[in-house]
PDB file of all heavy atoms in Angstrom:
ATOM      1  N   ARG A 174      -8.326 -57.589   5.644  1.00 93.00           N
ATOM      2  CA  ARG A 174      -7.049 -58.184   6.064  1.00 93.00           C
ATOM      3  C   ARG A 174      -7.264 -59.597   6.579  1.00 93.00           C
ATOM      4  O   ARG A 174      -6.456 -60.491   6.323  1.00 93.00           O
ATOM      5  CB  ARG A 174      -6.413 -57.310   7.146  1.00 93.00           C
ATOM      6  CG  ARG A 174      -5.098 -57.856   7.690  1.00 93.00           C
ATOM      7  CD  ARG A 174      -4.581 -56.960   8.795  1.00 93.00           C
ATOM      8  NE  ARG A 174      -4.044 -55.720   8.269  1.00 93.00           N
ATOM      9  CZ  ARG A 174      -3.794 -54.644   9.017  1.00 93.00           C
ATOM     10  NH1 ARG A 174      -4.099 -54.664  10.313  1.00 93.00           N
ATOM     11  NH2 ARG A 174      -3.278 -53.554   8.472  1.00 93.00           N
ATOM     12  N   ARG A 175      -8.362 -59.810   7.278  1.00 90.00           N
ATOM     13  CA  ARG A 175      -8.622 -61.144   7.824  1.00 90.00           C
ATOM     14  C   ARG A 175      -8.908 -62.159   6.719  1.00 90.00           C
ATOM     15  O   ARG A 175      -8.442 -63.295   6.777  1.00 90.00           O
ATOM     16  CB  ARG A 175      -9.807 -61.074   8.786  1.00 90.00           C
ATOM     17  CG  ARG A 175     -10.134 -62.392   9.465  1.00 90.00           C
ATOM     18  CD  ARG A 175     -11.060 -62.186  10.629  1.00 90.00           C
ATOM     19  NE  ARG A 175     -11.280 -63.407  11.378  1.00 90.00           N
ATOM     20  CZ  ARG A 175     -11.878 -63.466  12.547  1.00 90.00           C
ATOM     21  NH1 ARG A 175     -12.302 -62.347  13.119  1.00 90.00           N
ATOM     22  NH2 ARG A 175     -12.050 -64.614  13.168  1.00 90.00           N
ATOM     23  N   ILE A 176      -9.673 -61.751   5.701  1.00 90.00           N
ATOM     24  CA  ILE A 176     -10.072 -62.691   4.663  1.00 90.00           C
ATOM     25  C   ILE A 176      -9.009 -62.827   3.581  1.00 90.00           C
ATOM     26  O   ILE A 176      -8.675 -63.939   3.163  1.00 90.00           O
ATOM     27  CB  ILE A 176     -11.414 -62.248   4.038  1.00 90.00           C
ATOM     28  CG1 ILE A 176     -12.525 -62.296   5.097  1.00 90.00           C
ATOM     29  CG2 ILE A 176     -11.786 -63.137   2.848  1.00 90.00           C
ATOM     30  CD1 ILE A 176     -13.843 -61.699   4.623  1.00 90.00           C
ATOM     31  N   TRP A 177      -8.454 -61.697   3.118  1.00 91.00           N
ATOM     32  CA  TRP A 177      -7.545 -61.746   1.963  1.00 91.00           C
ATOM     33  C   TRP A 177      -6.100 -61.417   2.306  1.00 91.00           C
ATOM     34  O   TRP A 177      -5.253 -61.360   1.413  1.00 91.00           O
ATOM     35  CB  TRP A 177      -8.044 -60.788   0.886  1.00 91.00           C
ATOM     36  CG  TRP A 177      -9.369 -61.194   0.321  1.00 91.00           C
ATOM     37  CD1 TRP A 177      -9.628 -62.273  -0.482  1.00 91.00           C
ATOM     38  CD2 TRP A 177     -10.628 -60.534   0.508  1.00 91.00           C
ATOM     39  NE1 TRP A 177     -10.962 -62.328  -0.800  1.00 91.00           N
ATOM     40  CE2 TRP A 177     -11.606 -61.276  -0.209  1.00 91.00           C
ATOM     41  CE3 TRP A 177     -11.028 -59.395   1.204  1.00 91.00           C
ATOM     42  CZ2 TRP A 177     -12.946 -60.903  -0.243  1.00 91.00           C
ATOM     43  CZ3 TRP A 177     -12.362 -59.032   1.173  1.00 91.00           C
ATOM     44  CH2 TRP A 177     -13.309 -59.779   0.461  1.00 91.00           C
ATOM     45  N   GLY A 178      -5.803 -61.236   3.593  1.00 89.00           N
ATOM     46  CA  GLY A 178      -4.458 -60.825   3.971  1.00 89.00           C
ATOM     47  C   GLY A 178      -3.374 -61.812   3.567  1.00 89.00           C
ATOM     48  O   GLY A 178      -2.234 -61.423   3.312  1.00 89.00           O
ATOM     49  N   SER A 179      -3.700 -63.089   3.502  1.00 87.00           N
ATOM     50  CA  SER A 179      -2.711 -64.101   3.128  1.00 87.00           C
ATOM     51  C   SER A 179      -2.715 -64.397   1.633  1.00 87.00           C
ATOM     52  O   SER A 179      -1.874 -65.172   1.154  1.00 87.00           O
ATOM     53  CB  SER A 179      -2.983 -65.406   3.899  1.00 87.00           C
ATOM     54  OG  SER A 179      -2.898 -65.200   5.293  1.00 87.00           O
ATOM     55  N   SER A 180      -3.642 -63.796   0.895  1.00 87.00           N
ATOM     56  CA  SER A 180      -3.768 -64.098  -0.531  1.00 87.00           C
ATOM     57  C   SER A 180      -2.907 -63.205  -1.409  1.00 87.00           C
ATOM     58  O   SER A 180      -2.558 -63.582  -2.527  1.00 87.00           O
ATOM     59  CB  SER A 180      -5.237 -63.958  -0.963  1.00 87.00           C
ATOM     60  OG  SER A 180      -6.064 -64.856  -0.259  1.00 87.00           O
ATOM     61  N   TYR A 181      -2.569 -62.014  -0.919  1.00 90.00           N
ATOM     62  CA  TYR A 181      -1.846 -61.049  -1.744  1.00 90.00           C
ATOM     63  C   TYR A 181      -0.611 -60.548  -0.999  1.00 90.00           C
ATOM     64  O   TYR A 181      -0.435 -60.785   0.196  1.00 90.00           O
ATOM     65  CB  TYR A 181      -2.766 -59.887  -2.117  1.00 90.00           C
ATOM     66  CG  TYR A 181      -4.064 -60.350  -2.741  1.00 90.00           C
ATOM     67  CD1 TYR A 181      -5.285 -60.095  -2.117  1.00 90.00           C
ATOM     68  CD2 TYR A 181      -4.069 -61.059  -3.938  1.00 90.00           C
ATOM     69  CE1 TYR A 181      -6.489 -60.528  -2.681  1.00 90.00           C
ATOM     70  CE2 TYR A 181      -5.260 -61.504  -4.502  1.00 90.00           C
ATOM     71  CZ  TYR A 181      -6.457 -61.237  -3.870  1.00 90.00           C
ATOM     72  OH  TYR A 181      -7.635 -61.682  -4.409  1.00 90.00           O
ATOM     73  N   ALA A 182       0.224 -59.806  -1.719  1.00 90.00           N
ATOM     74  CA  ALA A 182       1.486 -59.341  -1.140  1.00 90.00           C
ATOM     75  C   ALA A 182       1.257 -58.416   0.041  1.00 90.00           C
ATOM     76  O   ALA A 182       2.041 -58.402   0.994  1.00 90.00           O
ATOM     77  CB  ALA A 182       2.305 -58.623  -2.215  1.00 90.00           C
ATOM     78  N   ASP A 183       0.193 -57.630  -0.004  1.00 93.00           N
ATOM     79  CA  ASP A 183      -0.154 -56.749   1.109  1.00 93.00           C
ATOM     80  C   ASP A 183      -1.640 -56.451   1.022  1.00 93.00           C
ATOM     81  O   ASP A 183      -2.328 -56.929   0.122  1.00 93.00           O
ATOM     82  CB  ASP A 183       0.669 -55.451   1.073  1.00 93.00           C
ATOM     83  CG  ASP A 183       0.529 -54.702  -0.247  1.00 93.00           C
ATOM     84  OD1 ASP A 183      -0.593 -54.287  -0.586  1.00 93.00           O
ATOM     85  OD2 ASP A 183       1.546 -54.547  -0.958  1.00 93.00           O
ATOM     86  N   CYS A 184      -2.132 -55.680   1.967  1.00 93.00           N
ATOM     87  CA  CYS A 184      -3.568 -55.362   2.010  1.00 93.00           C
ATOM     88  C   CYS A 184      -3.812 -53.881   1.775  1.00 93.00           C
ATOM     89  O   CYS A 184      -4.795 -53.324   2.280  1.00 93.00           O
ATOM     90  CB  CYS A 184      -4.170 -55.794   3.353  1.00 93.00           C
ATOM     91  SG  CYS A 184      -5.327 -57.158   3.173  1.00 93.00           S
ATOM     92  N   ARG A 185      -2.925 -53.243   1.013  1.00 95.00           N
ATOM     93  CA  ARG A 185      -3.193 -51.858   0.649  1.00 95.00           C
ATOM     94  C   ARG A 185      -4.443 -51.788  -0.230  1.00 95.00           C
ATOM     95  O   ARG A 185      -4.760 -52.727  -0.955  1.00 95.00           O
ATOM     96  CB  ARG A 185      -1.991 -51.254  -0.098  1.00 95.00           C
ATOM     97  CG  ARG A 185      -0.739 -51.111   0.753  1.00 95.00           C
ATOM     98  CD  ARG A 185       0.380 -50.415  -0.004  1.00 95.00           C
ATOM     99  NE  ARG A 185       0.648 -51.074  -1.278  1.00 95.00           N
ATOM    100  CZ  ARG A 185       0.483 -50.506  -2.469  1.00 95.00           C
ATOM    101  NH1 ARG A 185       0.011 -49.251  -2.560  1.00 95.00           N
ATOM    102  NH2 ARG A 185       0.758 -51.164  -3.584  1.00 95.00           N
ATOM    103  N   LEU A 186      -5.133 -50.671  -0.170  1.00 95.00           N
ATOM    104  CA  LEU A 186      -6.367 -50.508  -0.940  1.00 95.00           C
ATOM    105  C   LEU A 186      -6.104 -50.710  -2.432  1.00 95.00           C
ATOM    106  O   LEU A 186      -6.871 -51.381  -3.127  1.00 95.00           O
ATOM    107  CB  LEU A 186      -6.962 -49.120  -0.679  1.00 95.00           C
ATOM    108  CG  LEU A 186      -8.293 -48.801  -1.379  1.00 95.00           C
ATOM    109  CD1 LEU A 186      -9.379 -49.789  -0.965  1.00 95.00           C
ATOM    110  CD2 LEU A 186      -8.720 -47.369  -1.061  1.00 95.00           C
ATOM    111  N   GLU A 187      -4.996 -50.142  -2.938  1.00 95.00           N
ATOM    112  CA  GLU A 187      -4.687 -50.266  -4.360  1.00 95.00           C
ATOM    113  C   GLU A 187      -4.401 -51.712  -4.739  1.00 95.00           C
ATOM    114  O   GLU A 187      -4.722 -52.143  -5.851  1.00 95.00           O
ATOM    115  CB  GLU A 187      -3.492 -49.381  -4.725  1.00 95.00           C
ATOM    116  CG  GLU A 187      -3.770 -47.891  -4.628  1.00 95.00           C
ATOM    117  CD  GLU A 187      -3.517 -47.353  -3.231  1.00 95.00           C
ATOM    118  OE1 GLU A 187      -3.360 -48.170  -2.277  1.00 95.00           O
ATOM    119  OE2 GLU A 187      -3.474 -46.123  -3.074  1.00 95.00           O
TER     120      GLU A 187
END
Side-chain angles (χ1 to χ4, degrees):
R174 178 183 286 165
R175 183 166 186 169
I176 296 172
W177 295 290
S179 300
S180 299
Y181 307 117
D183 56 62
C184 248
R185 294 184 306 117
L186 182 60
E187 292 87 347

